[in-house]
Amino acid sequence: RVDVSTGASRDENAVRRGLRNALSFFKERVDMALEDKDEAAISRIVAPRADDPRLGEGETEMRAVWQVDLSLFVREPVGPLDANAAAKLDRTSLRIECVFGDRDEGVYPSRGGAEARKSRFFGSSTSGESQTRGAPPGYWIADEPGFFKFSLPATSPISFSDITCVPIGAVYFNAEIETERKDAPSSETRLVSGVATIKRDVPASFMGADYSGILAEYVVVGTFSARRVN
């Protein structure tokens, strides 16, 4: 006697395995396509510029140069900041010329060097002022799909109306990568909806012992957008 139920069960298992394999294959291809798209966007952000004499007379910088328009909240950066409170704050604007180095070889996720040029507040990581003040080196990193992150060392406090909006130390920038716009060529890549933060130590103690410096929080100091200028 032939066991029909066993044969049907085998057929169902075979179909399920086939579907799982097909879905796995499809997911792998989609992940690869997304990865290729993200990597292409990162390349447009950090790739050295083409040697085109029309792109700035006398310009010798071959690395990627970006104009960062930073809007800072006029407040002491202490504690969290929600959208309602942020909408009521005054702001002050600052423009930064930022240079991104090409990818470091053999490093994953992709990352490289970053520095500000000709800035009163953000020094180069290799400058004497930056090293004297102990500011960490600037860098960029692409560890989240669709976003570009970088850090610059603030070598002088940024103050407005006697309020220190940004203290000396690392400032962290995180923005969404925009590759398509209705009013611009599809090949133009911009950084939008950016948020600038600093890291502050959270005071902590236990049984009389000071544990400040172990806990830290990221505090929002402003918003920004950026576009490539070379």
Side-chain angles (χ1 to χ4, degrees):
R1 184 167 70 90
V2 178
D3 191 341
V4 178
S5 62
T6 301
S9 177
R10 290 174 179 172
D11 291 341
E12 289 177 0
N13 289 336
V15 170
R16 288 171 182 169
R17 285 196 300 270
L19 288 174
R20 281 198 299 268
N21 291 337
L23 290 173
S24 178
F25 176 83
F26 177 73
K27 181 179 182 301
E28 181 180 350
R29 293 300 180 272
V30 170
D31 289 344
M32 290 176 62
L34 291 174
E35 182 178 347
D36 290 344
K37 182 179 179 181
D38 288 331
E39 287 299 312
I42 297 301
S43 293
R44 287 196 291 270
I45 293 173
V46 304
R49 75 173 175 90
D51 191 11
D52 187 342
R54 295 174 299 176
L55 297 176
E57 184 177 354
E59 178 62 67
T60 60
E61 179 62 76
M62 296 300 295
R63 294 173 298 173
V65 181
W66 282 70
Q67 177 181 296
V68 179
D69 292 310
L70 177 61
S71 177
L72 296 172
F73 297 113
V74 181
R75 72 156 195 153
E76 296 284 347
V78 179
L81 178 66
D82 60 34
N84 291 332
K88 300 174 183 178
L89 292 173
D90 292 332
R91 296 201 181 206
T92 184
S93 299
L94 180 66
R95 178 165 288 177
I96 311 167
E97 191 174 86
C98 187
V99 180
F100 297 128
D102 206 353
R103 284 181 175 87
D104 293 338
E105 293 186 7
V107 178
Y108 181 83
S110 296
R111 65 180 297 156
E115 64 180 19
R117 300 197 311 177
K118 308 169 187 175
S119 173
R120 290 174 50 200
F121 305 105
F122 293 91
S124 165
S125 59
T126 58
S127 68
E129 180 183 13
S130 177
Q131 293 173 351
T132 299
R133 293 180 180 270
Y139 66 89
W140 65 262
I141 187 169
D143 61 353
E144 184 177 356
F147 290 84
F148 185 78
K149 305 174 185 179
F150 60 99
S151 175
L152 298 174
T155 52
S156 296
I158 304 175
S159 302
F160 184 80
S161 298
D162 295 328
I163 297 175
T164 299
C165 306
V166 177
I168 293 174
V171 181
Y172 303 93
F173 299 81
N174 185 4
E176 184 178 353
I177 302 173
E178 182 184 74
T179 56
E180 296 183 0
R181 295 169 58 202
K182 293 181 180 180
D183 58 342
S186 59
S187 60
E188 183 181 48
T189 299
R190 299 174 67 247
L191 300 179
V192 298
S193 304
V195 177
T197 61
I198 63 169
K199 186 163 65 173
R200 299 291 297 261
D201 291 337
V202 177
S205 62
F206 180 71
M207 297 183 66
D210 185 10
Y211 289 94
S212 299
I214 295 178
L215 300 177
E217 63 178 350
Y218 286 90
V219 180
V220 175
V221 295
T223 58
F224 74 96
S225 63
R227 65 179 183 87
R228 184 161 180 167
V229 297
N230 71 342

